[in-house]
Amino acid sequence: KIKKIGFSLYYPDDLRKILDEGVEFDILQIPYNIFDRRFEPYFDELKNKDIEIHVRSVFLQGIVFKDPSELKGNLKGMIKKLEHLRSLADSRREAIAGICFSLVSSNELIDRIVVGVDSLANLKELITIASQGTFCDPAELKYFIESDEDMILPFNWRK
């Protein structure tokens, strides 16, 4: 009855352990967004093993939409990057969501994108963004990569 087995992970080290131990699985669900690209070095290896890559937290739990001045605690370290993201969106005349979604959707190694919505209007907006096919060169977005797990992992956020 079980057709596919998978893992939902937060840390690349956990993936490395699973791969090194030769555990067979079909799907990996991971956080992946403009700030958190920690799993990216594993994408080729996963695809070579025919493992589906499902990504979540495309908008970093909505942080990309926050007014940078509202960030508190350890998220204050994201202020400059969020300001830069707003500036990039303004200069390109594109929605922040479109830029963030384009990074994920343009990666051909990603099989599925999991997003949360809080209303029908929000769902329609995401469908429109996905169908428009905004493109941002991943190299252009390297500035936004953040390695501090206190900022990119929501369960580490403190006020």
Side-chain angles (χ1 to χ4, degrees):
K1 294 189 180 216
I2 297 172
K3 295 190 180 182
K4 294 185 180 184
I5 300 285
F7 292 97
S8 178
L9 300 177
Y10 287 95
Y11 301 103
D13 287 347
D14 292 339
L15 175 59
R16 183 76 266 153
K17 287 176 193 170
I18 291 168
L19 292 170
D20 288 348
E21 291 180 15
V23 175
E24 292 186 22
F25 61 102
D26 307 293
I27 300 171
L28 178 67
Q29 186 188 86
I30 53 168
Y32 184 73
N33 55 63
I34 195 169
F35 301 113
D36 186 358
R37 292 164 62 180
R38 297 168 299 140
F39 285 91
E40 211 170 45
Y42 292 97
F43 286 4
D44 285 326
E45 182 177 358
L46 292 165
K47 295 320 295 181
N48 288 336
K49 295 177 180 285
D50 292 323
I51 296 169
E52 292 180 28
I53 300 171
H54 296 197
V55 298
R56 64 178 184 270
S57 200
V58 174
F59 305 116
L60 191 57
Q61 303 296 309
I63 290 297
V64 298
F65 305 119
K66 292 256 187 217
D67 180 334
S69 67
E70 293 177 6
L71 298 182
K72 299 187 178 358
N74 53 329
L75 288 177
K76 284 184 178 180
M78 298 286 278
I79 289 174
K80 286 187 193 259
K81 289 184 179 183
L82 279 181
E83 289 172 343
H84 187 73
L85 180 58
R86 284 175 176 251
S87 175
L88 178 65
D90 289 345
S91 70
R92 292 177 60 122
R93 296 176 191 225
E94 293 181 20
I96 289 172
I99 292 171
C100 293
F101 194 81
S102 76
L103 170 74
V104 178
S105 63
S106 67
N107 189 322
E108 295 176 359
L109 299 176
I110 294 173
D111 296 288
R112 300 281 185 264
I113 302 169
V114 178
V115 293
V117 297
D118 55 16
S119 67
L120 181 58
N122 188 220
L123 175 61
K124 288 179 180 180
E125 177 186 16
L126 286 174
I127 290 169
T128 300
I129 287 167
S131 66
Q132 287 175 342
T134 300
F135 176 76
C136 288
D137 180 358
E140 177 185 14
L141 302 178
K142 283 191 184 242
Y143 166 80
F144 298 102
I145 296 173
E146 179 58 58
S147 60
D148 186 341
E149 292 179 347
D150 283 341
M151 288 190 272
I152 57 175
L153 294 176
F155 52 80
N156 287 339
W157 295 345
R158 295 181 295 276
K159 298 188 182 218

